Amino acid sequence: MAKPALMQTLVFERQALEMTAELIKAAATSDILTLRHRNSFETKDHYVCIAYICILARKYQLISDELSISTYNLALSAFYGFTRKDNAAFLAMAPLLRSELHESGCLNLLTDRMLAWSISLFVGSQAWTPDLKLAATSNAPLLDDNGNDMWMVFDLPEEEKNVLSSLAVGSVSKTASGFDKQAEVDEKYVCRSFEREQSGSRPTPASIALELEVLQFCATASEESQNEILANDSCIPQLVTLLAKCQQDIVGTERKQTVKVFLDIVVLVLQLLVNLANNSTTFSARFIACDGLDVVAKNVAIVSQRLALSCSTNSSQTALAKEVSDLHYDVLLVTSALLTNIVDSDSSCVVHISYVTQYQQCRLAKNCFPKCLCKQRVPLVELLTKAFVSCHVASSSADANIAAGYLAVLLGFLMREPEHDYCRQMVQKHLPQRNVDIIVEHIQKFMHISDTVSKRFAGLFSRPGSRSHNSLQLGFASSTQTGDTSISSISAPENTSVANATLLSVISSLNSV
């Protein structure tokens, strides 16, 4: 049971969430905190006030250093903070938070904004010009119900009010009685700091990641949220486009930090796709129709290239290189989970997967999107099997071991049906001694991990009245801002006993091979 003080905090945050929802709605089309230039404001007082709000946001760490300041990002950061509690009581409140975002209409707004605005601008598919005169719609001051000027009246600690008051006086007081030189200095300092702030009018990798995190949270174990996101016809095509953009940026650079940034986004996109594919009867067909399988195949190629390189230089790995290497395993893990959910929802998708080909060393030129056209391309099933063998060999690493488990489950599903003999032969051909026992071994380890997660978070990811499924469906609940998929972030299937029965049937079919 949660302590009374904790429950009071949860109730308070529920009320704060409602206010946050209204802020997100208000900032969707017009966001005054994205303005950075003096001539964007009608008066200097307004300019100084907005500058000071931005400085206070940084001072009190209301937004991460990687994010540019905007009303939208501040509101989204506040909501994100509600979802990141490690305490079990906060996890138990997650369904209520998801429901609130859905019922308030904010989820629909966030989905539309990310798909139509953020992703489109991020991949450079359309031009956009900010409204630099947003604050100059009227010469009249912005007043509250009591006639007070709302620009200069907001709740601050007393010492902050005094500083802000001096800034306001310094900006307008040029009387014969004197001029406050210190206020002028303070004002110039504030304005210079404000002008150094990155413009919030365009999406950045950090803002894209934040939006993906929030949508992923909403889609975790929430059928109504999944359906609402998927109701947007551009959802899957735009997410696939974003995935392709990040893949090209990863291959196009050798800078580890840049690679890490885009790998983070790849993992987040894949996690969101996994959650959208969970128990969805329409996702698979739409994903295949927009060449999603071909784009996802490039994840396996990229990771295979990079892991081979990192293994050859493993002894001299820096901390950053180790992070990038771990993210490669995360990409493999979540790619496997996505393909497993697709095959599990419709076994005929195995045929579609068997037709996908990809060259492992492809440089991902534009003519190789969405389908690889390299002459040396090989079946995706072969790449997946080789990736599994690589993870099996490196299974002393926790990341490699978990990735091997997910890949084993996927390969098991690909080999389960006798009519898919082509996949059976392809997988066996590239296994050591053509022995499927190592796949069975890793599936059994995966079942143990699923049981562990299920017991640790029993009931926290389930939803009342949800329909039961005679299948294995995988999901992800984020644990860190970088999209790291540790054991604690893996959402166990809703019905673990049914999932284990499904995996046992897969093992049985493998034993007969």
Side-chain angles (χ1 to χ4, degrees):
M1 292 294 291
K3 296 179 180 179
L6 178 58
M7 293 309 297
Q8 289 175 5
T9 302
L10 290 171
V11 171
F12 169 77
E13 291 197 355
R14 166 74 190 281
Q15 296 170 346
L17 178 61
E18 294 174 354
M19 292 186 287
T20 303
E22 293 303 317
L23 276 175
I24 293 175
K25 288 180 181 178
T29 55
S30 299
D31 193 341
I32 196 171
L33 291 186
T34 63
L35 305 181
R36 296 289 182 266
H37 302 290
R38 168 66 183 87
N39 61 3
S40 300
F41 298 87
E42 187 66 26
T43 70
K44 192 174 184 181
D45 287 346
H46 295 175
Y47 172 59
V48 173
C49 181
I50 294 300
Y52 206 83
I53 289 174
C54 290
I55 288 177
L56 290 179
R58 292 292 185 205
K59 177 177 180 180
Y60 293 108
Q61 298 180 327
L62 301 180
I63 193 168
S64 71
D65 293 337
E66 293 79 16
L67 286 169
S68 57
I69 292 179
S70 67
T71 307
Y72 180 76
N73 283 346
L74 282 168
L76 211 57
S77 296
F79 176 76
Y80 180 78
F82 302 149
T83 72
R84 310 307 292 178
K85 305 298 183 182
D86 296 327
N87 189 289
F90 283 98
L91 285 174
M93 290 286 286
L96 179 61
L97 295 176
R98 294 187 185 100
S99 177
E100 179 65 33
L101 195 67
H102 168 73
E103 293 175 5
S104 68
C106 266
L107 176 57
N108 184 57
L109 183 148
L110 289 173
T111 302
D112 287 345
R113 178 183 170 106
M114 188 186 76
L115 299 176
W117 187 80
S118 300
I119 294 179
S120 295
L121 280 178
F122 192 70
V123 301
S125 61
Q126 69 180 44
W128 182 79
T129 304
D131 182 3
L132 296 180
K133 289 296 181 181
L134 179 63
T137 56
S138 172
N139 291 328
L142 183 62
L143 304 178
D144 64 16
D145 294 337
N146 298 319
N148 298 315
D149 189 343
M150 291 178 65
W151 283 98
M152 308 311 296
V153 181
F154 48 93
D155 192 15
L156 293 172
E158 199 61 38
E159 63 273 17
E160 304 293 355
K161 289 182 179 178
N162 293 336
V163 175
L164 184 59
S165 177
S166 70
L167 292 180
V169 171
S171 66
V172 297
S173 298
K174 296 184 180 180
T175 64
S177 59
F179 184 85
D180 190 340
K181 295 293 185 183
Q182 184 59 46
E184 182 182 18
V185 171
D186 290 341
E187 177 190 314
K188 289 181 179 179
Y189 168 77
V190 168
C191 294
R192 282 198 302 269
S193 299
F194 177 53
E195 289 168 356
R196 285 196 295 268
E197 277 285 344
Q198 182 182 5
S199 171
S201 62
R202 296 188 70 85
T204 63
S207 66
I208 288 283
L210 181 60
E211 288 179 300
L212 288 168
E213 287 268 19
V214 172
L215 287 188
Q216 178 195 321
F217 166 80
C218 294
T220 301
S222 174
E223 186 178 333
E224 63 179 9
S225 295
Q226 287 174 247
N227 291 338
E228 183 166 355
I229 295 172
L230 286 171
N232 190 309
D233 292 337
S234 66
C235 173
I236 296 175
Q238 284 290 75
L239 290 174
V240 170
T241 299
L242 176 59
L243 188 59
K245 159 69 175 174
C246 293
Q247 290 170 341
Q248 287 179 308
D249 288 330
I250 290 168
V251 172
T253 182
E254 294 299 326
R255 294 185 66 248
K256 295 289 187 186
Q257 186 59 47
T258 303
V259 170
K260 178 182 179 301
V261 167
F262 287 107
L263 279 173
D264 281 336
I265 297 178
V266 166
V267 171
L268 290 171
V269 172
L270 290 170
Q271 286 178 336
L272 176 56
L273 288 170
V274 167
N275 286 351
L276 293 176
N278 200 341
N279 298 328
S280 173
T281 57
T282 61
F283 176 91
S284 299
R286 291 171 59 185
F287 187 76
I288 292 171
C290 65
D291 297 314
L293 293 177
D294 292 280
V295 175
V296 164
K298 291 166 175 54
N299 291 336
V300 185
I302 291 171
V303 169
S304 299
Q305 293 176 34
R306 300 267 173 171
L307 282 179
L309 181 61
S310 64
C311 288
S312 64
T313 59
N314 191 52
S315 59
S316 59
Q317 271 193 332
T318 63
L320 178 59
K322 177 65 167 59
E323 284 186 65
V324 171
S325 177
D326 291 346
L327 279 169
H328 287 141
Y329 286 118
D330 289 344
V331 170
L332 268 183
L333 185 159
V334 194
T335 298
S336 303
L338 174 59
L339 294 176
T340 298
N341 276 2
I342 290 173
V343 172
D344 191 23
S345 65
D346 183 356
S347 60
S348 67
C349 292
V350 173
V351 177
H352 293 280
I353 292 176
S354 68
Y355 289 151
V356 177
T357 57
Q358 176 67 45
Y359 176 40
Q360 182 173 318
Q361 302 299 324
C362 179
R363 298 305 299 170
L364 305 190
K366 288 185 177 180
N367 64 325
C368 280
F369 275 94
K371 297 180 184 295
C372 178
L373 299 181
C374 299
K375 292 181 179 179
Q376 304 96 319
R377 61 187 183 273
V378 298
L380 171 59
V381 176
E382 177 181 330
L383 290 180
L384 289 168
T385 307
K386 289 180 176 178
F388 164 74
V389 173
S390 296
C391 291
H392 169 71
V393 171
S395 59
S396 57
S397 160
D399 293 302
N401 195 37
I402 296 175
Y406 272 81
L407 282 163
V409 170
L410 172 59
L411 294 177
F413 270 86
L414 293 177
M415 300 172 69
R416 180 171 60 168
E417 303 297 336
E419 60 265 30
H420 300 143
D421 188 57
Y422 167 80
C423 285
R424 285 189 173 196
Q425 293 184 21
M426 180 63 66
V427 172
Q428 277 192 285
K429 178 181 178 181
H430 296 284
L431 289 174
Q433 290 81 49
R434 300 176 62 89
N435 186 0
V436 299
D437 287 347
I438 60 172
I439 294 180
V440 173
E441 174 190 338
H442 281 283
I443 292 178
Q444 290 171 336
K445 289 181 180 179
F446 175 87
M447 291 170 64
H448 174 71
I449 292 174
S450 293
D451 284 339
T452 302
V453 174
S454 180
K455 291 174 183 176
R456 182 175 175 182
F457 299 106
L460 294 180
F461 294 110
S462 62
R463 52 183 181 266
S466 59
R467 64 182 187 269
S468 61
H469 301 268
N470 186 25
S471 63
L472 168 74
Q473 289 293 329
L474 308 173
F476 289 86
S478 299
S479 61
T480 66
Q481 190 168 359
T482 61
D484 177 46
T485 48
S486 61
I487 291 178
S488 64
S489 70
I490 301 172
S491 172
E494 290 179 30
N495 190 328
T496 307
S497 60
V498 171
N500 283 346
T502 303
L503 290 175
L504 287 172
S505 72
V506 171
I507 291 174
S508 176
S509 66
L510 291 177
N511 287 333
S512 65
V513 173

